[in-house]
Amino acid sequence: MYAEKQQLHEPFLPEITTDSSKHRRPQRRMKCQKETRQASDGSPQLLSKKEIALFRNSPKQFICVELLQDGYHRSFSELFSLLGLDEDRRAAADPESARLQSPPLGEQRDKLETMKLHLSRAEQVERTGFWSVVCEQRLLLGRYFSAPEDIWLSLYFYHSCADREKGGNSRWATEARACLADLYLQKGDLEKARQQAELCLKQAEEGGWLDSSGRPLKLQSCQTLAKIYNQLADFALANADYDMAVALNHKGYSMATECENKQIEGRAAFELGLTYQSSGDHDSAKQFFNSCMQIYSKLQDADGLAMTYKAMAKSSESEGNTSETLEYLEKSADICSSSGLQNRLADVCLYVGNIYYNMSQYPRAYEYFLRSYEVASDAGDVALLQKAQVLVGHTHTLLSMGKFSVDMESVSTACMKHQVVWRETGRHQDLSTEQSAASCHSLSDQSKMDKHTELLS
């Protein structure tokens, strides 16, 4: 009923009024909309000088002119210098490298705009003496240029932040040093990496600085130094300078214990144990391997435990303790088997097989070589598969020759039958017989090997 009453009182069409103002307003809006549509449809528009320059000039010219017009003369000089360095780098590159290079810096508008933004901000606050903000802007630029082709720019801006006379001990400058240490470590320049990391550690301890994520910069410096010292120790070890290698590994271990990262501490202990092992000090090596096993056990790191047990076995083998060697290797194999570490299991089985082979226990050696072959086959590790296949074949041949020799020396009827069958078939027979002096797998294992040779083709 209410709807029907509303329809009776409300007219079907709006009333027509004679007020002229009510007619003209919609016409003005329509006229404006019409002009806007015409402008968007491509009618001529007046462009500003800046918009004209944006289309007419190259990105390099446009950004440089803007810096000068806004009064940032130092930023202009720095940017212009970097553009020149980029041109020199590209000219000095060999043809193959030049072909793979990214476009010239002067043609990459986004990068130029980013540099203009942060350099002009840094110059503006530098005039007022806010040195920490200057460092912050340069640190942001260093982080921005993270792509591999821009590493040179990242190094430049990190250095321009960390090496400043004013603000060089600020939190931003200290973080820049941490970034420099990581970059030099990635490039393989260990001496420069160590120099920057040690300076960073000193400044971080003095200032108590935190990085951008709120983590103490001291921990980051210790972590980086641990990696650097261990890599330097590897070079010393390669040159048979065991004393220097041990000293460097001790420094790395000391840094690792302070970085509050048990994974890094365990790795540093393992590296130190390996260095002592290479120098012949197996007692010290076992001491650090035991520390390493304790850490990996708490972390439930199966790969680390398997690796450490194998290293312990090597030290025991060097000391002539075969039973202890096999005990450690069996533990390593059990961990690998239960954790699905197929590649490491294949390697451990080869190790055990070699020990039995050197002890002339060829059936046991054959058993472990075959197991290594099967595991490597399932894992698709062609390198281990090839190595295991050679050892399986060699050991199988030794066992066959031993069985044939026994049959030749014997005058029993069974041995004579074996010789006849051997001659007629031209193939190795099952070696796991009661009369055999050695116990190993039958020809079914050989057929299994033939089936897996497809991986080697």
Side-chain angles (χ1 to χ4, degrees):
M1 290 294 293
Y2 177 75
E4 291 178 359
K5 289 180 181 180
Q6 221 177 13
Q7 289 178 0
L8 291 174
H9 289 88
E10 292 182 358
F12 180 73
L13 295 174
E15 295 181 1
I16 300 175
T17 177
T18 57
D19 190 352
S20 60
S21 63
K22 291 184 179 180
H23 288 281
R24 285 195 297 270
R25 285 176 185 171
Q27 289 177 356
R28 288 196 189 99
R29 284 196 297 270
M30 290 176 64
K31 184 177 180 181
C32 292
Q33 291 171 0
K34 184 177 181 180
E35 289 173 356
T36 303
R37 285 197 298 271
Q38 288 175 352
S40 63
D41 289 342
S43 61
Q45 295 185 47
L46 294 177
L47 300 176
S48 65
K49 291 183 179 180
K50 183 175 181 179
E51 291 173 326
I52 294 172
L54 182 63
F55 289 102
R56 178 177 294 176
N57 299 330
S58 66
K60 175 176 67 175
Q61 291 173 318
F62 180 78
I63 297 298
C64 288
V65 168
E66 267 204 328
L67 284 171
L68 288 174
Q69 288 177 340
D70 295 340
Y72 297 113
H73 300 283
R74 290 184 182 179
S75 300
F76 162 77
S77 299
E78 190 171 359
L79 178 58
F80 194 79
S81 176
L82 290 172
L83 291 169
L85 287 174
D86 181 59
E87 292 176 359
D88 294 341
R89 288 177 62 259
R90 298 178 69 85
D94 58 85
E96 181 63 22
S97 299
R99 186 178 65 84
L100 300 175
Q101 282 181 350
S102 58
L105 181 60
E107 297 177 7
Q108 300 184 60
R109 185 178 297 277
D110 290 343
K111 293 179 181 179
L112 294 176
E113 289 281 2
T114 302
M115 283 194 284
K116 169 182 172 291
L117 173 66
H118 292 288
L119 287 176
S120 59
R121 284 180 179 175
E123 184 176 349
Q124 184 177 8
V125 295
E126 188 174 0
R127 295 167 185 170
T128 58
F130 290 100
W131 307 110
S132 60
V133 181
V134 175
C135 293
E136 178 188 8
Q137 296 300 314
R138 293 183 173 276
L139 176 65
L140 292 173
L141 280 172
R143 288 181 185 155
Y144 175 79
F145 292 103
S146 58
E149 65 271 14
D150 294 330
I151 292 298
W152 69 281
L153 281 169
S154 185
L155 286 171
Y156 170 82
F157 284 114
Y158 282 142
H159 271 295
S160 72
C161 174
D163 299 339
R164 297 186 67 82
E165 182 179 353
K166 296 180 179 180
N169 292 322
S170 64
R171 193 263 282 185
W172 308 105
T174 306
E175 188 169 353
R177 288 206 184 280
C179 296
L180 282 170
D182 285 333
L183 279 180
Y184 281 124
L185 182 60
Q186 292 174 22
K187 289 167 63 68
D189 195 335
L190 298 180
E191 286 300 327
K192 287 186 178 179
R194 178 169 67 170
Q195 179 185 4
Q196 294 298 329
E198 288 175 348
L199 284 171
C200 178
L201 178 59
K202 181 182 178 182
Q203 292 179 198
E205 288 178 334
E206 291 175 352
W209 303 120
L210 305 178
D211 63 14
S212 302
S213 62
R215 183 169 177 262
L217 277 167
K218 176 186 175 181
L219 301 183
Q220 184 178 346
S221 304
C222 290
Q223 181 175 331
T224 304
L225 278 170
K227 296 177 183 178
I228 293 169
Y229 286 136
N230 287 334
Q231 289 192 27
L232 288 170
D234 290 339
F235 282 106
L237 199 60
N239 295 323
D241 191 348
Y242 298 111
D243 292 338
M244 178 61 71
V246 167
L248 288 168
N249 274 134
H250 266 291
K251 285 186 176 181
Y253 180 69
S254 176
M255 290 292 102
T257 57
E258 295 185 26
C259 71
E260 298 181 5
N261 187 318
K262 285 297 181 181
Q263 191 71 42
I264 295 175
E265 183 180 345
R267 185 67 195 186
F270 182 76
E271 293 289 342
L272 185 52
L274 288 180
T275 303
Y276 274 120
Q277 189 179 77
S278 299
S279 67
D281 188 351
H282 295 288
D283 289 336
S284 298
K286 286 184 175 181
Q287 176 185 346
F288 284 98
F289 287 149
N290 281 321
S291 299
C292 187
M293 282 192 287
Q294 291 175 6
I295 293 172
Y296 285 142
S297 295
K298 290 180 180 179
L299 295 176
Q300 297 183 341
D301 186 342
D303 186 63
L305 277 173
M307 174 182 67
T308 309
Y309 273 120
K310 183 186 173 185
M312 287 282 281
K314 187 174 181 180
S315 286
S316 295
E317 183 185 18
S318 299
E319 294 174 336
N321 194 336
T322 305
S323 60
E324 189 177 74
T325 301
L326 291 173
E327 181 183 349
Y328 284 131
L329 289 174
E330 288 293 343
K331 288 181 179 179
S332 180
D334 290 342
I335 293 171
C336 293
S337 181
S338 61
S339 303
L341 303 172
Q342 297 295 89
N343 290 38
R344 196 172 288 282
L345 176 60
D347 187 50
V348 170
C349 288
L350 279 182
Y351 194 168
V352 177
N354 277 316
I355 291 175
Y356 282 120
Y357 181 89
N358 293 332
M359 295 168 62
S360 298
Q361 296 186 22
Y362 301 124
R364 292 287 285 168
Y366 177 81
E367 178 185 347
Y368 277 96
F369 287 151
L370 186 60
R371 186 182 178 190
S372 175
Y373 176 85
E374 292 171 346
V375 173
S377 176
D378 293 338
D381 191 326
V382 176
L384 275 174
L385 183 64
Q386 291 174 334
K387 189 175 181 179
Q389 186 181 42
V390 172
L391 292 170
V392 168
H394 179 67
T395 312
H396 191 278
T397 302
L398 289 176
L399 289 170
S400 300
M401 290 175 63
K403 175 63 173 62
F404 181 75
S405 299
V406 171
D407 288 344
M408 288 294 292
E409 293 173 0
S410 176
V411 293
S412 66
T413 304
C415 289
M416 294 296 291
K417 288 181 178 179
H418 287 161
Q419 293 180 43
V420 171
V421 172
W422 190 306
R423 181 176 179 180
E424 289 179 352
T425 61
R427 300 183 61 182
H428 297 300
Q429 299 303 306
D430 185 4
L431 299 174
S432 57
T433 62
E434 295 180 358
Q435 299 172 349
S436 176
S439 174
C440 64
H441 292 275
S442 65
L443 286 175
S444 61
D445 294 326
Q446 183 65 37
S447 63
K448 188 182 294 184
M449 288 179 59
D450 294 337
K451 187 176 78 171
H452 291 312
T453 51
E454 298 177 1
L455 286 172
L456 301 174
S457 60

